[in-house]
């Protein structure tokens, strides 16, 4: 599957290099379909392409008043905001 459109959209929106987002996703999920769709969770419970921990996702949802679906690649990639990338 090709996720470049999602990374490019997020990169434009948050003024970050799309390669940074793509690199995070590659390290976190390896772009494995079973991880992206939630069929497989990490040992710690991280979810989806960007491997959000449920507590982190909830915190971001509250902080930005948004809903993040960790199993939707577009929602997940758009959730990696510039200010949050700095803390990684």
């Amino acid at each position: 599957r090709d996720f470049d459109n999602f990374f490019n959209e997020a990169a434009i929106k948050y003024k970050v290099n799309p390669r940074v987002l793509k690199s995070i996703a590659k390290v976190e999920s390896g772009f494995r379909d079973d991880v992206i769709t939630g069929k497989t969770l990490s040992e710690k419970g991280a979810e989806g392409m960007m491997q959000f921990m449920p507590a982190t996702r909830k915190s971001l949802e509250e902080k930005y008043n948004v809903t993040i679906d960790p199993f939707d690649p577009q929602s997940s990639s758009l959730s990696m905001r510039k200010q949050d990338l700095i803390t990684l």
Side-chain angles (χ1 to χ4, degrees):
R1 293 168 49 180
D2 183 13
F3 303 109
D4 286 345
N5 290 349
F6 302 145
F7 297 126
N8 290 334
E9 181 182 357
I12 291 167
K13 186 171 185 175
Y14 301 117
K15 297 178 177 55
V16 297
N17 189 318
R19 289 179 289 181
V20 171
L21 299 172
K22 189 172 186 174
S23 295
I24 292 169
K26 184 176 182 180
V27 167
E28 294 295 339
S29 67
F31 297 115
R32 290 179 31 204
D33 280 336
D34 61 322
V35 174
I36 292 169
T37 61
K39 290 178 184 170
T40 302
L41 299 180
S42 75
E43 291 179 14
K44 304 272 184 182
E47 304 170 325
M49 183 170 69
M50 302 306 271
Q51 288 290 278
F52 284 109
M53 291 298 292
T56 302
R57 179 178 43 81
K58 185 170 178 57
S59 173
L60 290 172
E61 288 176 329
E62 291 171 0
K63 182 177 179 178
Y64 297 112
N65 193 31
V66 297
T67 300
I68 300 168
D69 179 352
F71 305 115
D72 172 32
Q74 184 174 22
S75 175
S76 187
S77 61
L78 282 170
S79 300
M80 295 299 292
R81 298 168 191 269
K82 185 174 185 175
Q83 55 268 47
D84 298 311
L85 287 170
I86 293 168
T87 64
L88 293 178

